[in-house]
Amino acid sequence: MLESFFQVLLEFTEGMGYFGVFFLMTIESSFIPFPSELVIPPAAYLASKGQMNIFLIIFFGIFGSLIGALINYYLAMFLGRPIIYSLTEKKFTSLLLINSKKLKKAEKFFLKYGEFSTFTGRLIPVVRQLISIPAGFTRMKLIPFMFYTSLGAGIWVVILAVIGYTGGLI
């Protein structure tokens, strides 16, 4: 059963191509929970078989992560803390696995570690998707936000790509 799931995932990834990697990583980094572990490793596995290019997978994975993070950043910046927190109490956000407790955790992390937290936060599950929101609340300067986000997302994407690629060589 697991093997058939993996096969479906590979076929889906191959069919979507690089745009699929970009699109799904954008979703993964926005407020919609979608595991990057289901995007990058299968694509990297296909790269190990010569069906995709590992460098393009990494590029589009990082670029998608940045765009998703910018969505959260701008939503938080324009809507503000009170509206974002009130949205976490709505039923639809619980379906997205978002609640005020998780958002408070990300905000505390950001306030404790400052701008650098947009880098480290990209490497921590749950915080990864939400760390852009407190950056938007505080109107963190855009260039450092994009730099730290891309750097953290880049490390995460490369780790997943290495796992997928080397798994394909075994």
Side-chain angles (χ1 to χ4, degrees):
M1 181 159 154
L2 187 58
E3 190 174 318
S4 63
F5 173 74
F6 187 66
Q7 191 60 40
V8 167
L9 195 57
L10 288 174
E11 289 172 10
F12 178 77
T13 302
E14 186 176 24
M16 293 279 293
Y18 302 110
F19 173 76
V21 170
F22 166 77
F23 180 72
L24 293 174
M25 290 302 288
T26 299
I27 290 173
E28 183 270 342
S29 288
S30 71
F31 53 87
I32 302 169
F34 189 84
S36 53
E37 297 84 353
L38 294 179
V39 180
I40 301 300
Y45 174 82
L46 291 172
S48 76
K49 301 297 182 192
Q51 295 173 279
M52 294 183 85
N53 180 298
I54 191 69
F55 299 107
L56 290 176
I57 292 166
I58 291 169
F59 172 79
F60 283 108
I62 295 168
F63 188 53
S65 293
L66 176 61
I67 298 302
L70 285 168
I71 290 169
N72 282 356
Y73 174 89
Y74 281 113
L75 281 174
M77 190 167 96
F78 290 118
L79 295 178
R81 183 180 281 107
I83 292 175
I84 297 291
Y85 271 100
S86 70
L87 288 174
T88 64
E89 303 305 322
K90 303 293 183 193
K91 188 173 185 167
F92 76 92
T93 56
S94 66
L95 296 173
L96 298 174
L97 307 175
I98 298 172
N99 59 45
S100 61
K101 184 179 175 183
K102 289 179 183 176
L103 184 55
K104 282 179 189 173
K105 180 179 179 178
E107 188 169 11
K108 273 179 91 173
F109 187 83
F110 180 85
L111 293 173
K112 183 175 181 180
Y113 297 106
E115 292 181 351
F116 190 66
S117 67
T118 58
F119 164 68
T120 56
R122 302 298 303 174
L123 303 170
I124 302 170
V126 177
V127 174
R128 176 176 31 254
Q129 285 81 10
L130 300 177
I131 196 64
S132 305
I133 294 174
F137 287 161
T138 62
R139 297 179 183 268
M140 178 180 173
K141 291 182 180 175
L142 191 58
I143 298 301
F145 172 77
M146 292 173 61
F147 173 75
Y148 287 127
T149 297
S150 297
L151 186 61
I155 290 171
W156 183 246
V157 167
V158 167
I159 289 169
L160 293 178
V162 166
I163 291 169
Y165 195 87
T166 57
L169 298 176
I170 296 173

